[in-house]
Amino acid sequence: MSLPLNAIDEILTNQQFIDWANGLCTKEALEWEDWLKNNSEKRYIVQEALTIFNALKINEKKPSITDIEFEKNKLLHTIAAYEMKPKTTSISNYKWVWVAAASVMIIIASAIVWVNLYKPEVANTSFGENMEKKLPDGSSVILNSNSTISYSPKWNNDKQREVWVKGEAFFCVSKTANKSTFIVHANKFDVVVTGTKFNITSSANGDAVFLEEGSIIVETKNGKKLFMQPGDFLKIGDDEMQGKPIHKIQVPKENILAWLSKKIVFENTTLQEVASKITAIYGATVVFENQFIMSKKITGIMPNNDLETLLKALELTSDVSIKQVNDTIYINTNNQ
């Protein structure tokens, strides 16, 4: 990364520095850390910039639920006090109209507050699309194709940070000052963290999680807790939920995180499993014109920039014939 930074004002306006100084877990902040490691002679001026940055930070005070409730009660008290006062006949005729209108305004205001504070934010990707999303605490998540996350738009530092995921996503979780818990909810388990990097998949076929950095606790729906270390991979399907043992295994992170660099890894993978991945990522229907090749296994790392590129690579490495007609893919042996 080229950063010809020689003056404090240049540093203070640099986005990588700003994310890093705010303690965010973003690509820009990680780039700044790498740059700083390779430019140790500038640590002194960066430290001066950090001191100024912290001094200039303005903490915005957002109204809490308690503040809103206090204002509502104060308004209700004012209405009640008004009703206690003696009134002329002409004023009395309009009293209940005024009270009713005020009550309606309170209900409307409360509804608006509830929507703003509790209505979940939703981020999703279409088939063949990846997307990076910043969360309210500075954490980041990268969504794989055909995936969805939802979460509360406002997180208080003293409460849990919760995200619901469907599909596949890679999380880079930022630590908060009071180490508030970050929870990712999947179909068959929850992942509990404070600050870490992990990949999670949640689908009808089961849930899986891979821990790249830090530590997490996986809590299954039937009450089991599993503590995971970097490199651990865990998958839970319907068979495990019926009481069968759950095992963690160590796997190379390249196999799990290849999708982040637009690649896909197959390791002794049957063509039937390959077809399922293609359907999950691109939404295409795969038809085997020769059922005997469904069990054929392939191994390799293939480009996954788009469906056409993937199909060409698959055709070259698996000795099959592939034809695409609109959203349907036909796979056959080469001699037919």
Side-chain angles (χ1 to χ4, degrees):
M1 177 174 57
S2 176
L3 291 175
L5 303 175
N6 298 306
I8 290 179
D9 57 344
E10 292 181 61
I11 296 176
L12 288 171
T13 56
N14 182 273
Q15 187 60 51
Q16 285 95 336
F17 167 80
I18 293 172
D19 281 12
W20 173 78
N22 278 317
L24 302 183
C25 187
T26 64
K27 178 182 177 183
E28 288 75 15
L30 295 176
E31 287 178 350
W32 179 266
E33 285 186 4
D34 290 338
W35 178 84
L36 198 56
K37 290 176 183 177
N38 298 323
N39 294 271
S40 57
E41 73 279 2
K42 295 189 177 181
R43 283 188 176 275
Y44 178 76
I45 193 171
V46 169
Q47 186 57 48
E48 287 189 347
L50 183 60
T51 301
I52 296 173
F53 179 85
N54 290 330
L56 293 175
K57 281 175 69 175
I58 300 175
N59 294 321
E60 297 181 1
K61 183 178 180 182
K62 299 179 181 179
S64 64
I65 295 293
T66 303
D67 295 332
I68 295 170
E69 193 68 22
F70 174 79
E71 292 299 327
K72 184 180 78 172
N73 290 335
K74 187 168 70 172
L75 178 58
L76 289 171
H77 178 74
T78 302
I79 294 173
Y82 180 81
E83 292 179 7
M84 297 285 293
K85 292 181 178 180
K87 303 172 182 65
T88 63
T89 303
S90 58
I91 294 177
S92 180
N93 291 336
Y94 295 100
K95 179 184 67 175
W96 292 109
V97 175
W98 184 85
V99 171
S103 300
V104 170
M105 291 302 295
I106 291 172
I107 294 172
I108 293 173
S110 299
I112 292 173
V113 169
W114 186 91
V115 167
N116 289 335
L117 289 177
Y118 299 106
K119 183 181 179 182
E121 292 278 350
V122 177
N124 53 59
T125 52
S126 57
F127 289 114
E129 177 191 15
N130 291 359
M131 178 181 70
E132 182 175 5
K133 179 72 176 180
K134 297 293 188 300
L135 300 179
D137 65 338
S139 298
S140 66
V141 55
I142 303 175
L143 294 176
N144 201 353
S145 169
N146 190 31
S147 300
T148 302
I149 59 168
S150 59
Y151 55 92
S152 172
K154 296 181 180 181
W155 289 344
N156 295 325
N157 286 334
D158 58 341
K159 293 185 177 180
Q160 293 179 342
R161 301 166 285 169
E162 295 183 87
V163 180
W164 286 259
V165 62
K166 180 180 180 182
E168 184 168 20
F170 178 80
F171 286 86
C172 182
V173 179
S174 298
K175 292 183 179 179
T176 57
N178 63 347
K179 298 182 179 179
S180 59
T181 304
F182 189 105
I183 302 177
V184 179
H185 300 282
N187 287 331
K188 302 184 185 303
F189 59 69
D190 299 329
V191 176
V192 183
V193 302
T194 53
T196 189
K197 297 179 182 178
F198 61 96
N199 194 82
I200 186 169
T201 305
S202 181
S203 68
N205 296 325
D207 297 344
V209 61
F210 169 77
L211 179 62
E212 181 187 15
E213 182 182 297
S215 62
I216 60 176
I217 302 172
V218 174
E219 298 182 351
T220 67
K221 301 302 182 183
N222 55 11
K224 292 183 180 178
K225 287 188 178 182
L226 297 99
F227 295 82
M228 297 183 64
Q229 299 299 321
D232 282 350
F233 175 80
L234 175 68
K235 185 173 182 179
I236 298 181
D238 290 333
D239 51 347
E240 285 88 356
M241 294 303 293
Q242 293 169 2
K244 294 186 178 180
I246 302 171
H247 298 290
K248 299 177 294 183
I249 60 173
Q250 284 272 321
V251 299
K253 73 175 184 179
E254 293 79 11
N255 290 8
I256 304 297
L257 304 181
W259 67 271
L260 294 173
S261 55
K262 298 291 185 180
K263 295 179 182 178
I264 188 167
V265 176
F266 299 120
E267 187 172 350
N268 286 325
T269 308
T270 66
L271 287 181
Q272 186 176 19
E273 292 176 287
V274 172
S276 297
K277 285 183 177 289
I278 290 174
T279 300
I281 296 172
Y282 294 102
T285 301
V286 180
V287 176
F288 286 94
E289 296 185 298
N290 185 330
Q291 300 298 311
F292 294 103
I293 63 173
M294 294 174 63
S295 58
K296 180 181 176 65
K297 295 182 178 180
I298 63 170
T299 296
I301 301 176
M302 300 184 185
N304 194 26
N305 298 325
D306 56 55
L307 180 56
E308 184 179 355
T309 302
L310 174 60
L311 293 180
K312 286 181 179 179
L314 186 61
E315 193 172 41
L316 290 172
T317 58
S318 59
D319 193 30
V320 295
S321 173
I322 299 177
K323 180 176 64 176
Q324 182 178 2
V325 180
N326 298 323
D327 292 331
T328 304
I329 298 166
Y330 298 92
I331 301 179
N332 204 346
T333 55
N334 256 333
N335 56 359
Q336 293 188 19

